[in-house]
Amino acid sequence: AIDLYESVIKRYPKSKQATESHMVLGLLYESQTEFETAANYFEKMASFPDVPQVADALFNAGSIRAALEQYDQAIGIFETFAKKFPDTKETPQLHLQIAEYHEKQLRPKKALKAYDRYIKLFKKPQAEMIPEVYLRKALIEQKKGGKRARRLATDQLKKSSKAFKRLPDEAKEKPKVRCTQARVKFLLAEYAYEDFEAIKIEFPERKLKKSLVKKAELLTKTGELFFEVLDIKSYDVSAGALYRIG
């Protein structure tokens, strides 16, 4: 069967049958676990205009490249998909995957840019995902480190909280959405806990009183923030909050 379809492509490269042969060969090679060859045939489909199977072919090709950890090629294919088919149900998820692949390739700036593009394109139609995207951006800022890391991460965490508050009550009750908000509050509480830990008890008495007051204020604030995490009742995150509260 493979020889027959390859012969059709060679003899009639511009025919409708040649287009269909590319798709069939991609599926055949994929079924035989010859993924590189399968991806090559799927990718060639992109050069055929107005062919119904192009979307499926590109999606298959990008998924194979990602599975082979060929992330740059997967990014290029999914970007092509998103441009050609901006209104399909798969497109929002592919934008997220592009950002994730940039993260895997240790390219935080490009990942942040990809997440920003997602927010711009899907802020309303994918509103439930927006708090998660801001959380991802916060985690990237944390990993980048540097003097501005905490401020930049905190900014993204606060944006996540605002996006969560804008959601309808029904959406807020979904486990994944609740878990995201719990993680956001936990990270903000951890920053407050760091501030609490950083204050040292100092002498003489004038400094002692001041440091004790400040430490007590931060302890109260930290406790309140960790209790807010518990109130969300996302049990994967609650354990960390309970540990901090003691």
Side-chain angles (χ1 to χ4, degrees):
I2 287 177
D3 290 341
L4 175 62
Y5 287 114
E6 288 179 339
S7 176
V8 169
I9 293 171
K10 186 175 181 179
R11 291 185 180 185
Y12 314 103
K14 296 183 180 181
S15 68
K16 178 182 178 182
Q17 289 76 15
T19 304
E20 294 174 350
S21 294
H22 278 88
M23 188 68 181
V24 173
L25 283 167
L27 293 170
L28 285 172
Y29 278 114
E30 186 177 12
S31 70
Q32 295 177 7
T33 67
E34 294 187 38
F35 299 117
E36 187 82 32
T37 304
N40 288 334
Y41 275 108
F42 287 137
E43 286 166 30
K44 289 175 183 178
M45 292 286 292
S47 63
F48 296 102
D50 303 322
V51 177
Q53 303 98 319
V54 170
D56 288 339
L58 286 172
F59 185 87
N60 290 348
S63 299
I64 290 172
R65 294 299 183 192
L68 295 173
E69 298 185 355
Q70 297 171 354
Y71 296 119
D72 285 338
Q73 288 166 275
I75 288 169
I77 293 166
F78 285 151
E79 285 179 341
T80 299
F81 184 104
K83 289 177 183 177
K84 284 180 173 287
F85 310 103
D87 300 320
T88 66
K89 64 180 182 180
E90 294 86 4
T91 301
Q93 181 60 35
L94 295 186
H95 276 283
L96 288 178
Q97 288 178 227
I98 288 169
E100 290 167 8
Y101 298 155
H102 281 306
E103 286 194 70
K104 288 179 182 290
Q105 296 291 81
L106 303 179
R107 294 191 290 251
K109 289 183 179 179
K110 289 188 175 182
L112 289 170
K113 187 175 180 180
Y115 284 131
D116 283 338
R117 184 164 63 245
Y118 181 92
I119 293 168
K120 181 178 179 180
L121 292 172
F122 306 112
K123 191 170 186 177
K124 289 185 178 179
Q126 300 292 328
E128 290 179 16
M129 190 62 198
I130 299 303
E132 167 73 17
V133 174
Y134 280 123
L135 172 59
R136 294 186 187 190
K137 291 184 66 183
L139 294 173
I140 290 173
E141 296 293 1
Q142 283 187 336
K143 289 178 183 177
K144 283 169 61 180
K147 294 180 179 179
R148 301 172 62 212
R150 174 169 170 172
R151 181 174 64 80
L152 292 172
T154 299
D155 182 54
Q156 298 302 324
L157 293 172
K158 289 180 178 179
K159 287 181 179 179
S160 179
S161 291
K162 288 180 180 179
F164 174 81
K165 290 176 182 177
R166 288 194 294 265
L167 294 175
D169 291 340
E170 182 180 353
K172 291 177 182 177
E173 291 303 315
K174 293 184 178 181
K176 185 176 179 180
V177 177
R178 282 209 324 270
C179 182
T180 295
Q181 183 62 4
R183 291 175 66 195
V184 167
K185 285 188 174 294
F186 183 83
L187 291 173
L188 289 170
E190 283 288 278
Y191 280 140
Y193 184 78
E194 287 178 9
D195 292 340
F196 167 76
E197 288 280 276
I199 294 179
K200 305 300 180 184
I201 304 301
E202 296 182 287
F203 293 92
E205 186 176 344
R206 177 176 56 82
K207 288 187 177 181
L208 174 63
K209 183 178 180 181
K210 185 177 179 180
S211 59
L212 286 174
V213 169
K214 184 64 176 175
K215 204 167 182 69
E217 290 174 349
L218 282 171
L219 180 61
T220 300
K221 178 183 176 181
T222 302
E224 289 173 350
L225 289 171
F226 283 124
F227 274 113
E228 286 180 11
V229 175
L230 296 179
D231 288 341
I232 297 173
K233 297 179 181 179
S234 179
Y235 301 109
D236 290 342
V237 187
S238 294
L242 283 170
Y243 175 79
R244 287 297 193 207
I245 292 169

